[in-house]
Amino acid sequence: MEIMSHSQALAGKEILITAGGTREPIDPVRYLTNRSSGKMGYALAEEAVALGASVTLISAPTALPAPRQVNAIYVESAKEMRSAVLERYNKVDVVIKAAAVADYRPLKEYDRKIKKKDDRFILELVKNPDILAELGQNKKDQILVGFAAETDELEKYAQEKVRSKNLDLLVANDVTIPGAGFAVDTNIVTLFDKDGQAEPLAIMSKKEVARRILLKIKELLSQR
Ligand code: CTP
Ligand code: CA
């Protein structure tokens, strides 16, 4: 019964999801990245399709196959992800930024392989654009959902991010807890609404977490 009533909960909605960890090029054979597996973002894309939404997935590299019935667009760096997202922002109802975007990129991309020479090597980094903050600044009536992986002071940082990025929902997890975060199939998250109110969820599969997030989004869409 539950499945029947939920099956078309997001019918007619255009949802943009980002996933994976961006790669920031150093030279032709090297890059900087992070521990994101893409599992949470891909689970969101699959569940959004199951709930009847039309889904675009903007994905940084992962080891995962493209979910069925999803318009998958592959990017590498934060700058590429930014262009792909901004291009589509005004045509969608919801953006879910599950991607782990590198905060910094190498100042210079070498066009030849860097050869080892000195005992120390300093790589200078510059800040990447904050894609989610930019979406928050330019928000019309989209529902904007962010993610945050923290190692301490989860509630404080989550509330700051909701406010500073103008979010409708933030999904936060403490990656130091076993069963939460990177490369595992479960997650333990707390949902923060736009007023910073916390709703902690129990440990569950990323698929179930995805469904809970999407049903929350459905609620937010119907309140608009
Ligand atoms: N994000 C983004 N662009 C960036 C950095 C982050 O769009 N350059 C998005 C992520 O996709 C995520 C949210 O912002 O949905 C929060 O990312 P997080 O790394 O937790 O927050 P930051 O603002 O980068 O702050 P910090 O890493 O210092 O905690
Ligand atoms: Ca960050």
Side-chain angles (χ1 to χ4, degrees):
M1 265 334 274
E2 158 124 321
I3 290 168
M4 295 272 292
S5 60
H6 284 158
S7 69
Q8 290 302 306
L10 294 172
K13 300 301 177 193
E14 293 276 347
I15 304 193
L16 182 69
I17 298 169
T18 70
T22 65
R23 280 182 186 174
E24 310 298 325
I26 298 171
D27 72 9
V29 298
R30 303 182 179 98
Y31 53 78
L32 287 180
T33 191
N34 57 64
R35 291 187 188 278
S36 172
S37 64
K39 284 181 176 178
M40 195 61 240
Y42 277 58
L44 279 160
E46 272 170 33
E47 288 305 297
V49 166
L51 294 174
S54 167
V55 179
T56 300
L57 176 66
I58 297 178
S59 182
T62 71
L64 305 169
R68 278 189 294 184
Q69 297 175 57
V70 162
N71 174 26
I73 292 155
Y74 296 99
V75 297
E76 297 231 337
S77 66
K79 285 207 281 187
E80 285 168 21
M81 181 170 280
R82 175 180 175 273
S83 311
V85 169
L86 291 183
E87 206 176 289
R88 294 167 180 86
Y89 188 38
N90 288 326
K91 298 180 209 117
V92 300
D93 301 293
V94 179
V95 179
I96 310 178
K97 283 232 68 223
V101 183
D103 290 333
Y104 294 91
R105 67 175 182 279
L107 171 65
K108 175 175 152 70
E109 181 181 348
Y110 291 79
D111 54 13
R112 303 286 183 97
K113 183 182 168 194
I114 303 167
K115 298 302 286 180
K116 65 169 180 278
K117 215 167 60 202
D118 303 330
D119 288 345
R120 288 189 178 201
F121 177 77
I122 295 173
L123 185 65
E124 192 169 354
L125 305 179
V126 287
K127 213 183 229 173
N128 266 327
D130 189 321
I131 306 167
L132 189 55
E134 204 170 332
L135 298 179
Q137 274 163 19
N138 299 311
K139 189 160 74 169
K140 302 214 173 73
D141 58 1
Q142 297 93 338
I143 300 291
L144 197 53
V145 182
F147 271 73
E150 306 288 356
T151 55
D152 49 88
E153 297 199 73
L154 182 97
E155 178 144 346
K156 173 177 161 249
Y157 289 130
Q159 285 166 345
E160 272 172 27
K161 284 174 191 175
V162 165
R163 197 167 8 92
S164 66
K165 303 194 191 208
N166 193 21
L167 306 180
D168 299 287
L169 189 66
L170 178 78
V171 183
N173 63 343
D174 182 337
V175 293
T176 64
I177 301 174
F182 299 122
V184 292
D185 290 316
T186 55
N187 212 345
I188 307 166
V189 306
T190 302
L191 306 182
F192 289 86
D193 69 14
K194 68 172 175 25
D195 303 315
Q197 284 288 338
E199 182 190 337
L201 304 187
I203 184 166
M204 56 183 84
S205 68
K206 285 186 175 172
K207 181 183 163 82
E208 283 172 87
V209 174
R211 183 154 290 220
R212 292 288 292 266
I213 294 167
L214 290 161
L215 293 175
K216 188 83 190 176
I217 290 170
K218 151 88 183 152
E219 223 177 279
L220 296 174
L221 282 165
S222 57
Q223 285 162 15
R224 274 202 322 212

